Amino acid sequence: MENAMNGAEAMVRMLQAQGVRHMFGLCGDTTLPFYDAMRGLDHGITHVLTRDERSATYMADGYSRVTGRVGVAEGPSGGGATYILPGLIEATESSYALLAITTDISVGSYGKYPLTEVDQEALMRPLTKWNTVIRRADHIPRMVRAAFRAMTTGRPGAAHIGLPHDVQYDPVNPFDIWADPETATYPAYRQAPPPGAAEAAVEAILSAKRPLIVCGGGVVIAGAWEELQRLAERLDVAVATSISGQGSLAETHPNCLGVVGSNGGTDETWEMMEAADLVVFMGCRAGSTTTARWEAPRPGTRVVHFDSDPMVMNANYRTEVAVVGDLKLALGQVNAVLDARGQGAQSFGGAAAVEDRKRRKIAAFDRLAASDAAPIRPERVVKELMRVLPEDAVVVSDPGTSCPYFSAHYQLPRPGRHFITNRAHGALGYALAAALGAWFGRPEAKAVGLMGDGSFGFTCGELETVARCGAPITYVVFSNASFGWIKASQAADKGGRFYNVDFGRADNAAVAAAYGIRAWRVEDPSELGRVLAEAVAHGGPTLVDVAVQPLEEAAAPVRRWMG
């Protein structure tokens, strides 16, 4: 074949054509041809070598969330392919576009008991939106195009491509190397709601007395925060969020109530969830956390639901009006309907109701945040972070100790994706890696990673990657020498009968320093503000290990420990 390239080169060229700029991954023997193609071709893709494949997918996940581009992770066959699984399920369930490329043993050796043989297609199928193992090199271009179409259209999700070793050497026609530019970012090919849906939603909302909008991650993914803000202001309606929905509206906005539900919600915000006579879910699946295991909306409460995925409609609540379509287009239609009616003066009193709840919530928080007690109160860490972080900071949190405190009390001053946590499956070890991916995606913003010391132990080896990249990320470790969430669950649900949740206390700052990270350990509350300010201002990677109050003794903003 004239001017033929091999399969490995075709994969690199297809990623280049699809607009990929960064890739995160780990080398392996089945990857040799692919790495040789990456080395030899001029493609403009930055490849970040990670210390395990799971971290590679978490980096790609964080990158995808802040850029709206497909995050790409790669790894080798066998064990490498199995380590990639946690990142795939998180991205799929959280609706973010992530591509995992796993090289594989040769097709010609399938069934001969070669080293690292595993059925990758069967392994990845339940965790992805789209999945294939390529058997012929000339299939590579169209399979890559199909993967990007699947990841970026409809409800975004993860895709997997298996690339066998021998296929990487076989020829590919270079004239088939092309891509659809629409699928370089997501949501791609946005779909508007059907005719009449926006009008029906407006009628329902205007007929309510105490409506509450509850936003999930879909609003931020769609980039619909301007349309949402216009709607909230013109109707003076209160807007609550799930943890994933933070950033749908700036949390300093008068109409933004903040997080509701069992994790990150408080009694004050829950009052409005229980009092609403109509709940408008927007890009939110109304799952167990946001509804405190479906305590509210209560039976009989009217529900209007906006989402790009028709499968969420009527799944948990009988839906009076379902608006299926892209959130940006749907909210644009709703505002256009209100424009046509000249509607702009009606008030549901949302800002006044929010102000009352926020005032009481902040007063309770401030009392705890002012404490000089040791171990340091987690509220004090959040308060000091609010003081030292710039408005455009990107904060990444593991789902453990740091997440509910940050979600409940940190007031994000801007809409958009500025707070990231892996809420779908809650795997520990996410934040350290995802913060690096977020920094590569948005290097002009200060990146911060929050985690407990249990999470730190999962993934501290990735600090070498952070140091090698020179990423000016600040990590904050909430150290209490236990798997605090489970210990608190045992306190609440098992009468304090603790079993196998405590581990040895380590000097995590010394661990970070061994990797070349500038680090501090803080036990004195009076030192916390100064150290955090110094760490954030430093031009390279930093870590602050904070000895904090055990979670089972704290006033954590958690209504239910079991999700």
Side-chain angles (χ1 to χ4, degrees):
M1 187 183 298
E2 186 179 356
N3 297 323
M5 59 179 65
N6 66 32
E9 293 167 335
M11 178 60 75
V12 173
R13 288 301 189 203
M14 280 304 303
L15 294 174
Q16 178 187 12
Q18 287 287 170
V20 173
R21 299 172 184 172
H22 292 83
M23 186 189 314
F24 307 88
L26 183 63
C27 49
D29 48 8
T30 55
T31 318
L32 290 175
F34 182 66
Y35 270 47
D36 199 48
M38 287 290 293
R39 179 201 60 81
L41 297 176
D42 181 12
H43 46 69
I45 300 171
T46 297
H47 183 282
V48 179
L49 175 67
T50 68
R51 299 302 297 269
D52 76 45
E53 295 86 352
R54 180 187 54 164
S55 293
T57 60
Y58 291 159
M59 290 177 196
D61 179 295
Y63 177 89
S64 179
R65 293 188 193 218
V66 301
T67 62
R69 309 180 70 84
V70 174
V72 181
E74 60 85 15
S77 60
T82 65
Y83 293 153
I84 269 175
L85 299 178
L88 291 178
I89 186 61
E90 180 62 42
T92 296
E93 290 300 305
S94 293
S95 304
Y96 288 95
L98 188 152
L99 173 64
I101 301 169
T102 53
T103 53
D104 198 6
I105 61 170
S106 294
V107 174
S109 66
Y110 284 0
K112 295 183 176 181
Y113 306 107
L115 187 67
T116 73
E117 180 172 20
V118 64
D119 186 343
Q120 290 190 8
E121 193 164 0
L123 186 68
M124 309 293 183
R125 186 179 300 120
L127 312 180
T128 55
K129 186 180 178 185
W130 189 94
N131 167 45
T132 193
V133 175
I134 296 173
R135 263 74 173 182
R136 291 173 44 135
D138 59 356
H139 291 178
I140 290 173
R142 63 185 174 91
M143 292 296 100
V144 173
R145 288 191 290 267
F148 273 77
R149 267 198 318 277
M151 288 184 288
T152 61
T153 58
R155 185 169 79 85
H160 164 255
I161 294 177
L163 187 62
H165 188 258
D166 51 358
V167 169
Q168 296 178 63
Y169 287 107
D170 292 341
V172 176
N173 188 337
F175 292 104
D176 199 21
I177 304 298
W178 57 270
D180 177 359
E182 289 293 322
T183 60
T185 59
Y186 65 99
Y189 293 111
R190 298 173 185 259
Q191 299 293 300
E199 288 83 352
V202 168
E203 291 289 350
I205 293 169
L206 294 182
S207 69
K209 294 180 179 178
R210 298 177 306 281
L212 176 68
I213 296 173
V214 180
C215 296
V219 175
V220 180
I221 292 169
W225 46 82
E226 290 182 3
E227 290 79 4
L228 173 65
Q229 180 174 331
R230 184 163 184 239
L231 177 64
E233 290 176 348
R234 74 192 303 169
L235 297 181
D236 189 16
V237 62
V239 176
T241 76
S242 68
I243 292 176
S244 299
Q246 289 184 268
S248 298
L249 196 64
E251 289 177 316
T252 53
H253 191 283
N255 289 83
C256 187
L257 177 66
V259 172
V260 293
S262 57
N263 185 346
T266 66
D267 290 343
E268 293 82 10
T269 60
W270 193 244
E271 290 173 9
M272 292 195 71
M273 190 75 157
E274 290 186 313
D277 66 339
L278 183 144
V279 173
V280 185
F281 289 112
M282 289 188 177
C284 175
R285 293 187 291 187
S288 61
T289 301
T290 307
T291 63
R293 294 197 65 82
W294 304 285
E295 281 185 20
R298 297 171 189 255
T301 304
R302 300 166 64 200
V303 170
V304 173
H305 207 148
F306 288 72
D307 207 281
S308 63
D309 183 3
M311 288 300 293
V312 306
M313 304 302 177
N314 292 288
N316 287 322
Y317 291 98
R318 183 175 182 177
T319 303
E320 182 175 319
V321 180
V323 185
V324 179
D326 176 82
L327 268 292
K328 189 175 182 69
L329 298 181
L331 288 173
Q333 286 189 5
V334 166
N335 280 316
V337 171
L338 293 171
D339 287 342
R341 298 181 174 199
Q343 209 294 319
Q346 180 161 341
S347 175
F348 286 108
V354 164
E355 193 279 331
D356 172 61
R357 271 72 176 188
K358 273 189 174 178
R359 176 181 48 78
R360 290 187 277 124
K361 182 176 89 166
I362 292 171
F365 166 73
D366 283 344
R367 285 193 295 272
L368 294 169
S371 172
D372 290 324
I376 296 170
R377 299 301 184 248
E379 292 87 354
R380 184 150 185 167
V381 182
V382 174
K383 186 79 169 183
E384 295 292 354
L385 284 171
M386 276 195 281
R387 187 177 63 82
V388 301
L389 290 182
E391 281 197 357
D392 64 345
V394 176
V395 180
V396 185
S397 174
D398 266 12
T401 298
S402 56
C403 182
Y405 286 101
F406 193 94
S407 295
H409 301 305
Y410 196 99
Q411 295 288 294
L412 293 170
R414 296 185 181 185
R417 180 57 71 215
H418 295 280
F419 177 58
I420 298 170
T421 186
N422 52 326
R423 283 308 312 149
H425 282 264
L428 300 184
Y430 172 86
L432 199 154
L436 182 59
W439 175 75
F440 272 107
R442 199 181 290 171
E444 71 281 3
K446 177 65 183 180
V448 180
L450 311 178
M451 69 204 76
D453 48 353
S455 291
F456 181 78
F458 270 63
T459 189
C460 59
E462 217 61 65
L463 286 174
E464 186 280 325
T465 311
V466 176
R468 177 169 19 101
C469 294
I473 301 169
T474 294
Y475 292 104
V476 180
V477 182
F478 291 66
S479 291
N480 51 28
S482 71
F483 289 108
W485 195 278
I486 308 307
K487 192 169 186 179
S489 299
Q490 290 177 344
D493 297 344
K494 298 301 175 186
R497 297 189 297 277
F498 301 122
Y499 179 74
N500 252 6
V501 287
D502 297 306
F503 48 81
R505 189 176 298 278
D507 187 342
N508 300 313
V511 173
Y515 283 106
I517 308 290
R518 188 171 181 189
W520 299 258
R521 177 167 173 82
V522 181
E523 298 180 358
D524 183 349
S526 67
E527 293 291 305
L528 181 63
R530 176 189 62 79
V531 170
L532 285 175
E534 191 174 345
V536 168
H538 184 62
T542 55
L543 182 141
V544 182
D545 186 24
V546 186
V548 298
Q549 180 186 34
L551 197 56
E552 73 277 6
E553 299 175 7
V558 177
R559 292 181 56 81
R560 286 177 175 268
W561 291 102
M562 291 295 293

